[in-house]
Amino acid sequence: MKHLLNPLDFSVEELNELLDLARDISNNPQKYSHACDGKKLATLFYEPSTRTRLSFEAAMLNLGGSVLGFSSANSSSASKGESVSDTIRVISCYADICAMRHPKEGAPMVAAQKSRIPVINAGDGGHQHPTQTLTDLMTIRELRGSLDNFTIGLCGDLKFGRTVHSLINSLIRYKNVKFILISPKELRVPDYIIDTLKENNVEYEEVEKLENVMPQLDILYMTRVQRERFFNEDEYLRMKDFYILNKEKMALAKEDMYVLHPLPRVNEISVEVDDDPRAAYFKQVQYGVYVRMALILTLLGLNK
Amino acid sequence: MKHLLNPLDFSVEELNELLDLARDISNNPQKYSHACDGKKLATLFYEPSTRTRLSFEAAMLNLGGSVLGFSSANSSSASKGESVSDTIRVISCYADICAMRHPKEGAPMVAAQKSRIPVINAGDGGHQHPTQTLTDLMTIRELRGSLDNFTIGLCGDLKFGRTVHSLINSLIRYKNVKFILISPKELRVPDYIIDTLKENNVEYEEVEKLENVMPQLDILYMTRVQRERFFNEDEYLRMKDFYILNKEKMALAKEDMYVLHPLPRVNEISVEVDDDPRAAYFKQVQYGVYVRMALILTLLGLNK
Amino acid sequence: MKHLLNPLDFSVEELNELLDLARDISNNPQKYSHACDGKKLATLFYEPSTRTRLSFEAAMLNLGGSVLGFSSANSSSASKGESVSDTIRVISCYADICAMRHPKEGAPMVAAQKSRIPVINAGDGGHQHPTQTLTDLMTIRELRGSLDNFTIGLCGDLKFGRTVHSLINSLIRYKNVKFILISPKELRVPDYIIDTLKENNVEYEEVEKLENVMPQLDILYMTRVQRERFFNEDEYLRMKDFYILNKEKMALAKEDMYVLHPLPRVNEISVEVDDDPRAAYFKQVQYGVYVRMALILTLLGLNK
């Protein structure tokens, strides 16, 4: 029984297979349209996350399977005091695979221990969100052809952004990836990430202004900087524009630099950038469906 | 890319085609049971509307397609501050067509501008609810054989009832339709509707009591009169019975007069009327499914 | 038109047929995987009950059908003041069969009177929950081979537990079933149940401690004892451990005694019991899906 709880659960080789499958799906969706006939996905969302939930549901429906589940805890048995361990044993009787979103870190891992069906962590608190990382990896690989030899700028709130941490931890497994970490001082990546980068002899740089590093980037991964993360209002006002991507900043970038964003975006990418051919954040959503299709097939053992 | 945002988006000719298709579906549902195999409808309901949502879902399931979505804003990404423009671009990666209900007027139109899939307005605030109008038109056409040459009484709150306004605007495009507008003075149709009727040389009459005009009607379209719409309690008490349809009033009507209602009804149609063969409001619900099936096929270009 | 409103709606003979069908489904699920192609189940849950709702949905999906509905009243038209009678007439246009959960006793019966599709009571207040009873009966029958000749201990809150009352009323129709009713005095079964047992010359015993009767039992049906049901805290503290099933108590039981529970369990069965082969409460969940599949087929007339 294989689960996906952490983006690092797959080896680089397994990941390559998964991403190859996702690519094949994107090229020949019709070929897979009955691959999961008669299979059921349970979406167990203890907190709402429409984008992620619907991406899983679209993935399963594209494979010919069907979907059941709940979209928030108050319409679930959680409110009756049932443990996640019991819930997953019940759900194991209803579905063939499940995607669980939970506000508590580790809940999907607890579930996986008692589950008779594959469990996909669809986000557990501030901890992990592995299918976002798979989406990010597929997007970079499809846009650039490979996950080796490039410079990625990660911009915004690098302290609390779990997608950023997961992406860094995944990308250090590839060759010659250079990181430029762009954030206010208060929102720098945690020390343990820096330690990991050092231990793995990965090239990195920490900077405060996006503008200055734009020309170096092959990939720019944007995230939101929330006002309430700042200790002090003056600091926020001084710096907020550093982290807003607009046409001016795009003009400084390479012609084949791509912009990614895990969405939802609020105002950190100006809408004027949307029509730039280098804006890849909506393409990323589409890749997210393909990679989840590949994941479902893989965990159900239907990938061969 | 074709959307349905306003009941007048379709020309009379296009509407005839749509209603012909809906009729064929109602006669041969089996023929269409796989017409949307592999297609997905997204139901994006930013406010709950069970009847409308389930009508769309039943329509898509009847066509062999599948459904994903959300049924209220608090289980959606809207709460995270995402714009409708961004949401629709995401949903365009998940589904082939969508139905959007939104408390804000114009939201479906904003969505349509950025959408890569057909958008159906499933109600935007007090503004439009075009699939209710299509339902009403199909119902009248099926019951009477044609949309020309009849007298329709519209009864109740004609000031705020968006279904009434849409229906009037649609029916004036047909020949020799006479309108009898039955409401308290405070809840008469807005002036711009009267202007439209005059400009189009459409025969109409404004009256206060349903009873007096019953014998003239071929169609009676009932809506609810809410107590809180009245300026003054005495007025409400004096008049409320004028707008409650019961057996006594039905006795005054023609034998082939039909009663429609957009539902939900509260007490404006007495339950004793339900068994009258002229009560057509539950049939209307069934027509609503057929017309939505025809609409989905048409917008997906699967109608030929 | 056949509905299931009360567990006693089926005669013993009809029940046998249903349970035979459920058994055949459990042995040959593949055989039934397209039995409901093109059919739709509406799940009308006016109060949340994830386990029950998803069991119905899994059942319908296993049969090749599809599902629509709502999972709580606030996302339904109920909030607009529509009556259950009107709602069911609307739903009759959308689906082929429905399962209704409602906080008010009798609501499913009211619905059934106006419905054009079979209505399954999926729980109405403290009143009935017939598909739980069908699940319990199937579980006992599958585990023991028959519903005759055994001793069942019903343990916990026997006063308010509707599943217990329904199960007793159903089991007295079989031969030589002995009941041991294990509860605090304050939570004994209501008098009318005792009257029924006496009238039917059914052997029964009322006891306070589970421990003492363990060796006699063939089936132990556990339910929860809620603190707030006790008149007095001392009583609660004195007795609560009597009703918690643990390894020690299991050691006193027969080797082929099975433990059932309608779930969710809180702490009345210690998790250490879960790995005991006699713990059948998760198997029971699986039987619940099969019996609901059989029920859907039967009510749709697809069981022959």
Side-chain angles (χ1 to χ4, degrees):
Chain A
M1 176 68 56
K2 184 120 182 134
H3 307 285
L4 178 66
L5 304 173
N6 185 302
L8 301 180
D9 285 351
F10 287 116
S11 68
V12 169
E13 197 179 292
E14 287 170 324
L15 210 52
N16 276 340
E17 276 179 36
L18 182 87
L19 297 177
D20 283 345
L21 177 57
R23 179 181 290 167
D24 193 53
I25 291 169
S26 82
N27 291 331
N28 312 286
Q30 219 44 48
K31 191 173 134 191
Y32 296 89
S33 65
H34 292 285
C36 284
D37 274 4
K39 300 289 181 191
K40 284 162 291 157
L41 166 72
T43 48
L44 312 178
F45 277 60
Y46 289 86
E47 63 178 10
S49 175
T50 309
R51 183 188 331 285
T52 303
R53 180 173 60 84
L54 296 186
S55 182
F56 274 108
E57 298 192 6
M60 191 50 157
L61 295 172
N62 285 346
L63 293 165
S66 49
V67 177
L68 46 76
F70 51 88
S71 57
S72 68
N74 54 359
S75 61
S76 88
S77 298
S79 52
K80 294 184 190 163
E82 187 174 61
S83 70
V84 164
S85 298
D86 275 15
T87 299
I88 196 68
R89 273 182 279 205
V90 169
I91 296 296
S92 295
C93 300
Y94 295 165
D96 301 286
I97 186 166
C98 87
M100 177 183 288
R101 176 88 159 210
H102 204 287
K104 273 198 201 151
E105 293 188 15
M109 196 197 293
V110 170
Q113 282 158 8
K114 294 292 182 183
S115 183
R116 289 192 291 110
I117 59 174
V119 174
I120 301 170
N121 179 358
D124 57 335
H127 192 223
Q128 302 286 357
H129 186 8
T131 58
Q132 180 64 51
T133 306
L134 295 182
T135 301
D136 299 340
L137 294 175
M138 179 178 183
T139 306
I140 297 170
R141 193 175 182 250
E142 292 307 299
L143 294 172
R144 304 199 69 261
S146 140
L147 288 164
D148 300 320
N149 306 313
F150 68 100
T151 297
I152 181 169
L154 296 145
C155 177
D157 177 354
L158 307 186
K159 186 171 180 183
F160 298 101
R162 65 182 168 185
T163 58
V164 166
H165 306 165
S166 292
L167 187 55
I168 294 173
N169 279 317
S170 293
L171 284 175
I172 59 173
R173 304 199 292 182
Y174 295 89
K175 277 182 226 139
N176 195 25
V177 180
K178 183 182 168 183
F179 295 88
I180 303 191
L181 308 167
I182 308 147
S183 74
K185 275 184 191 130
E186 289 144 311
L187 297 176
R188 277 188 185 170
V189 292
D191 288 347
Y192 79 89
I193 297 274
I194 296 295
D195 293 346
T196 306
L197 291 170
K198 285 180 178 161
E199 276 160 28
N200 287 274
N201 295 312
V202 174
E203 208 180 333
Y204 76 92
E205 205 178 314
E206 291 189 276
V207 303
E208 217 186 42
K209 286 181 83 165
L210 172 57
E211 217 166 323
N212 303 342
V213 295
M214 280 300 276
Q216 301 172 53
L217 305 179
D218 298 305
I219 294 287
L220 170 58
Y221 194 94
M222 292 294 297
T223 67
R224 187 149 49 113
V225 176
Q226 291 171 279
R227 192 183 206 117
E228 54 274 27
R229 298 293 196 200
F230 281 81
F231 298 125
N232 124 13
E233 181 75 6
D234 287 345
E235 275 290 277
Y236 173 75
L237 292 174
R238 183 177 72 83
M239 288 199 296
K240 68 183 170 62
D241 290 344
F242 294 5
Y243 307 105
I244 293 178
L245 186 64
N246 56 18
K247 271 195 169 173
E248 280 180 1
K249 292 196 188 82
M250 284 301 283
L252 306 169
K254 291 183 187 171
E255 284 200 3
D256 62 350
M257 184 212 67
Y258 294 101
V259 184
L260 275 65
H261 190 299
L263 303 184
R265 91 101 162 237
V266 178
N267 65 349
E268 60 278 12
I269 301 179
S270 166
V271 293
E272 69 190 18
V273 176
D274 294 357
D275 296 326
D276 191 306
R278 296 169 293 180
Y281 30 95
F282 293 118
K283 243 180 234 169
Q284 199 177 349
V285 175
Q286 185 67 66
Y287 290 134
V289 177
Y290 295 136
V291 90
R292 285 182 179 95
M293 291 170 73
L295 178 64
I296 290 169
L297 289 173
T298 301
L299 294 181
L300 287 175
L302 300 170
N303 53 328
K304 310 282 170 170
Chain B
M1 177 67 56
K2 183 120 182 133
H3 307 285
L4 178 66
L5 304 173
N6 186 302
L8 302 179
D9 285 352
F10 288 116
S11 68
V12 169
E13 197 179 294
E14 288 170 323
L15 209 52
N16 277 339
E17 275 179 36
L18 183 88
L19 297 178
D20 283 345
L21 178 57
R23 179 181 292 168
D24 193 52
I25 290 169
S26 82
N27 292 330
N28 312 287
Q30 218 44 46
K31 189 173 135 191
Y32 296 88
S33 65
H34 292 285
C36 284
D37 273 5
K39 300 288 181 193
K40 284 162 291 158
L41 165 73
T43 48
L44 311 178
F45 276 60
Y46 289 86
E47 63 179 10
S49 174
T50 309
R51 182 187 333 283
T52 303
R53 181 173 59 84
L54 295 186
S55 183
F56 274 109
E57 298 192 6
M60 191 50 157
L61 296 172
N62 286 347
L63 294 165
S66 50
V67 176
L68 45 76
F70 50 87
S71 57
S72 68
N74 53 357
S75 61
S76 87
S77 296
S79 52
K80 294 183 190 164
E82 187 174 61
S83 70
V84 163
S85 297
D86 276 15
T87 298
I88 196 68
R89 272 182 280 204
V90 169
I91 296 297
S92 295
C93 300
Y94 296 165
D96 300 286
I97 187 167
C98 86
M100 178 183 287
R101 176 88 161 211
H102 204 288
K104 273 198 201 151
E105 292 186 15
M109 197 198 292
V110 170
Q113 282 158 8
K114 295 293 181 183
S115 183
R116 290 193 290 110
I117 59 175
V119 175
I120 302 169
N121 179 358
D124 57 335
H127 192 220
Q128 302 286 357
H129 186 10
T131 58
Q132 180 64 51
T133 307
L134 295 183
T135 301
D136 298 341
L137 294 174
M138 178 177 184
T139 306
I140 297 170
R141 193 174 182 251
E142 292 308 299
L143 294 173
R144 304 199 70 260
S146 142
L147 287 163
D148 300 319
N149 306 314
F150 67 100
T151 297
I152 181 169
L154 296 145
C155 176
D157 177 355
L158 306 185
K159 184 171 182 183
F160 298 101
R162 64 183 169 186
T163 59
V164 166
H165 306 164
S166 293
L167 187 56
I168 294 173
N169 279 317
S170 294
L171 284 175
I172 58 172
R173 304 199 293 181
Y174 295 89
K175 278 181 227 139
N176 194 25
V177 179
K178 182 182 168 183
F179 295 87
I180 303 191
L181 307 167
I182 309 147
S183 74
K185 276 184 192 132
E186 290 145 310
L187 297 175
R188 278 187 185 170
V189 292
D191 288 348
Y192 79 90
I193 297 274
I194 295 295
D195 293 347
T196 307
L197 292 169
K198 285 180 179 162
E199 277 160 28
N200 287 273
N201 294 313
V202 173
E203 207 180 336
Y204 76 93
E205 204 177 317
E206 291 188 276
V207 303
E208 217 185 42
K209 285 183 84 165
L210 172 56
E211 219 166 322
N212 303 342
V213 295
M214 280 300 276
Q216 301 172 53
L217 305 179
D218 297 305
I219 295 287
L220 170 59
Y221 194 92
M222 293 293 298
T223 67
R224 186 148 48 113
V225 176
Q226 291 171 279
R227 190 182 208 120
E228 55 273 27
R229 299 290 197 201
F230 281 81
F231 297 125
N232 131 3
E233 181 74 6
D234 287 346
E235 275 291 276
Y236 173 75
L237 292 175
R238 182 177 72 84
M239 290 199 295
K240 70 182 169 64
D241 290 344
F242 293 6
Y243 308 106
I244 294 178
L245 187 63
N246 55 19
K247 272 194 168 173
E248 280 180 1
K249 292 197 188 82
M250 286 300 284
L252 305 170
K254 291 184 188 170
E255 282 200 6
D256 62 349
M257 183 212 68
Y258 293 101
V259 184
L260 275 64
H261 189 298
L263 302 186
R265 107 329 276 247
V266 179
N267 66 348
E268 60 279 13
I269 301 179
S270 166
V271 293
E272 68 191 20
V273 175
D274 294 357
D275 295 327
D276 191 307
R278 297 169 292 179
Y281 30 94
F282 293 118
K283 245 181 233 167
Q284 199 177 350
V285 175
Q286 185 67 65
Y287 290 133
V289 177
Y290 295 136
V291 90
R292 286 182 178 95
M293 291 170 73
L295 178 65
I296 290 169
L297 289 173
T298 301
L299 295 181
L300 288 174
L302 299 170
N303 53 327
K304 311 280 169 171
Chain C
M1 176 67 58
K2 182 116 184 137
H3 307 285
L4 178 66
L5 304 173
N6 185 302
L8 301 180
D9 285 352
F10 288 116
S11 68
V12 169
E13 198 178 293
E14 288 170 323
L15 209 53
N16 277 339
E17 275 180 34
L18 182 88
L19 297 178
D20 283 345
L21 177 57
R23 180 181 290 168
D24 193 52
I25 291 169
S26 82
N27 291 331
N28 312 287
Q30 219 44 47
K31 190 172 133 191
Y32 296 88
S33 65
H34 292 285
C36 284
D37 274 5
K39 299 289 180 192
K40 285 162 290 155
L41 166 73
T43 48
L44 311 178
F45 276 59
Y46 289 85
E47 63 179 10
S49 174
T50 309
R51 182 188 332 284
T52 303
R53 180 173 60 83
L54 296 186
S55 182
F56 274 108
E57 299 193 6
M60 191 50 157
L61 295 172
N62 286 346
L63 293 165
S66 49
V67 176
L68 46 76
F70 52 87
S71 57
S72 66
N74 53 358
S75 61
S76 87
S77 297
S79 52
K80 294 183 191 163
E82 188 175 61
S83 70
V84 164
S85 298
D86 276 15
T87 299
I88 196 68
R89 271 182 281 205
V90 169
I91 296 296
S92 295
C93 300
Y94 295 165
D96 301 286
I97 186 167
C98 86
M100 178 183 287
R101 176 87 159 209
H102 204 288
K104 274 199 202 150
E105 293 188 14
M109 196 197 294
V110 170
Q113 282 157 9
K114 294 292 183 184
S115 183
R116 289 193 290 111
I117 59 174
V119 174
I120 301 169
N121 179 358
D124 57 336
H127 192 221
Q128 301 286 357
H129 186 9
T131 58
Q132 180 63 52
T133 306
L134 295 182
T135 301
D136 298 341
L137 294 175
M138 177 177 183
T139 306
I140 296 170
R141 194 175 182 249
E142 292 307 300
L143 294 172
R144 303 199 71 262
S146 141
L147 287 164
D148 300 319
N149 306 312
F150 68 100
T151 297
I152 182 169
L154 295 145
C155 177
D157 177 354
L158 307 186
K159 185 171 181 182
F160 298 100
R162 65 182 168 186
T163 57
V164 165
H165 306 165
S166 292
L167 187 55
I168 293 173
N169 279 317
S170 293
L171 284 176
I172 59 171
R173 305 199 291 181
Y174 295 90
K175 277 181 227 141
N176 194 24
V177 180
K178 183 183 168 184
F179 295 88
I180 303 190
L181 307 167
I182 309 147
S183 74
K185 277 184 190 130
E186 290 144 311
L187 298 175
R188 278 188 186 170
V189 291
D191 288 347
Y192 79 89
I193 296 275
I194 295 294
D195 292 347
T196 306
L197 291 170
K198 284 182 181 161
E199 277 160 25
N200 287 273
N201 294 312
V202 174
E203 207 180 333
Y204 76 93
E205 206 177 314
E206 291 188 276
V207 303
E208 217 185 41
K209 286 183 83 164
L210 173 57
E211 219 167 321
N212 303 343
V213 295
M214 280 300 275
Q216 302 172 51
L217 306 178
D218 297 305
I219 295 287
L220 170 58
Y221 194 93
M222 293 293 298
T223 67
R224 186 148 48 113
V225 176
Q226 290 171 281
R227 191 184 208 118
E228 55 274 27
R229 299 290 197 202
F230 281 81
F231 299 125
N232 136 358
E233 181 74 7
D234 287 346
E235 275 291 276
Y236 174 74
L237 292 174
R238 183 177 72 85
M239 289 199 296
K240 71 183 168 65
D241 289 344
F242 293 5
Y243 307 105
I244 294 178
L245 187 63
N246 56 17
K247 271 194 169 173
E248 279 180 3
K249 292 197 188 84
M250 285 300 284
L252 305 170
K254 290 184 188 170
E255 283 201 4
D256 62 350
M257 183 213 68
Y258 294 101
V259 184
L260 275 65
H261 189 299
L263 303 184
R265 101 45 208 244
V266 178
N267 67 348
E268 61 278 13
I269 300 179
S270 166
V271 293
E272 70 190 17
V273 176
D274 294 356
D275 295 327
D276 191 307
R278 296 168 293 180
Y281 30 94
F282 293 118
K283 244 180 234 166
Q284 199 177 351
V285 175
Q286 185 67 65
Y287 290 133
V289 177
Y290 294 136
V291 90
R292 286 182 177 94
M293 291 170 73
L295 178 64
I296 290 169
L297 289 173
T298 301
L299 295 181
L300 288 174
L302 300 170
N303 53 327
K304 310 282 168 169

